[in-house]
Amino acid sequence: MTTLWLFIIVSSVIALFWYSRQIAEAANRHAQHQAESLQVQLLSVACIKRRFGVLKDGKLGIKSQFMFEFSSDGESAYQGKLYLENERLVKKELPAYKIAS
């Protein structure tokens, strides 16, 4: 019986890690899409916060907040935020930035 519980716990940790990586890859894709649509250079993407919670559709899931840095002129860096529910982009926050001429 102990072996079964150990197997379930280890499998759950591995599955959670795997799904966490999928969410991080989705955040990277969303950040790249934002950079392309703003015509800026994407510098980095990092996870700020991740937690379990009730999503907008009423189901349980993972709510994540990612910060991404971008540059519009190659000299200055700006930070935006992406809010994800599982792999779906829910909200984005972008600062005012200098448009390269």
Side-chain angles (χ1 to χ4, degrees):
M1 187 68 166
T2 309
T3 307
L4 177 64
W5 281 109
L6 184 62
F7 178 73
I8 290 171
I9 291 171
V10 169
S11 298
S12 299
V13 169
I14 290 171
L16 183 61
F17 174 76
W18 191 267
Y19 192 58
S20 173
R21 292 304 315 146
Q22 287 181 343
I23 292 172
E25 290 297 322
N28 197 11
R29 284 191 307 270
H30 289 301
Q32 286 175 350
H33 177 71
Q34 291 300 318
E36 289 172 5
S37 65
L38 297 172
Q39 296 179 348
V40 297
Q41 178 185 10
L42 180 64
L43 301 175
S44 67
V45 181
C47 183
I48 298 173
K49 188 188 322 183
R50 183 174 292 144
R51 62 186 169 91
F52 290 103
V54 179
L55 307 180
K56 288 186 179 181
D57 59 2
K59 298 179 182 177
L60 291 176
I62 299 175
K63 293 183 174 186
S64 304
Q65 183 179 354
F66 287 84
M67 182 211 43
F68 69 101
E69 290 185 332
F70 61 94
S71 177
S72 60
D73 58 2
E75 296 178 8
S76 53
Y78 303 94
Q79 295 179 348
K81 290 184 182 175
L82 299 173
Y83 297 89
L84 278 72
E85 289 187 347
N86 288 337
E87 297 178 32
R88 188 172 59 94
L89 180 64
V90 176
K91 180 180 157 185
K92 60 186 173 189
E93 292 179 358
L94 298 171
Y97 60 95
K98 180 180 172 183
I99 298 175
S101 31

